[in-house]
Amino acid sequence: MTKGNFLEGGCTCRAVRYRMTSAPLFVHCCHCTWCQRETGTAFALNAMIEADRVELLQGETEVVNTPSNSGQGQKISRCPTCKVAVWSNYAGAGDTVRCVRVGTLDEPARLPPDIHIFTSTKQPWVVLPRNVPAVAEYYKAADYWPKESLERRAVLRSAKPA
Ligand SMILES: [Zn+2]
Ligand SMILES: [Zn+2]
């Protein structure tokens, strides 16, 4: 048995530590060119979860406004010391949903992608599994999310000020 909760994670210098208090809503593997540039790799792995289900256990994050493909920008929360990004908020989803960077979890293998998105720009050598949905660009949550996640999203939406 491993010690601790598998949904805990943090930055490289360990100043920032966090815990997801439940399973995420959905996990995106994004192959867009923006994610490729921001990570310096082939794709980004983001676990979408309600912001109030991410507890900061230690340290604080520095929010960096970063341009995004939508033009509305995203806020990337980074460790103020080592600058590793631990999660982000897209303008589209607002501050109520965080995209936790799965690679910062202590056990990232526990959250494999639920969907591959923006595969139109994926690196040609990345071979996708046949049993995981993949879309050329984006998609409608209602078409892919499990019922429980859609219900959680409905709660978020109803809590938003009109
Ligand atoms: Zn750090
Ligand atoms: Zn992306």
Side-chain angles (χ1 to χ4, degrees), residues 57-73:
L57 301 174
Q58 184 178 296
E60 24 184 310
T61 58
E62 167 184 284
V63 176
V64 180
N65 286 309
T66 308
S68 71
N69 194 21
S70 72
Q72 297 180 77

Side-chain angles (χ1 to χ4, degrees), residues 70-91:
S70 72
Q72 297 180 77
Q74 63 168 317
K75 296 179 197 165
I76 302 184
S77 294
R78 297 178 176 275
C79 168
T81 306
C82 72
K83 309 291 182 189
V84 164
V86 285
W87 60 73
S88 60
N89 293 78
Y90 286 90

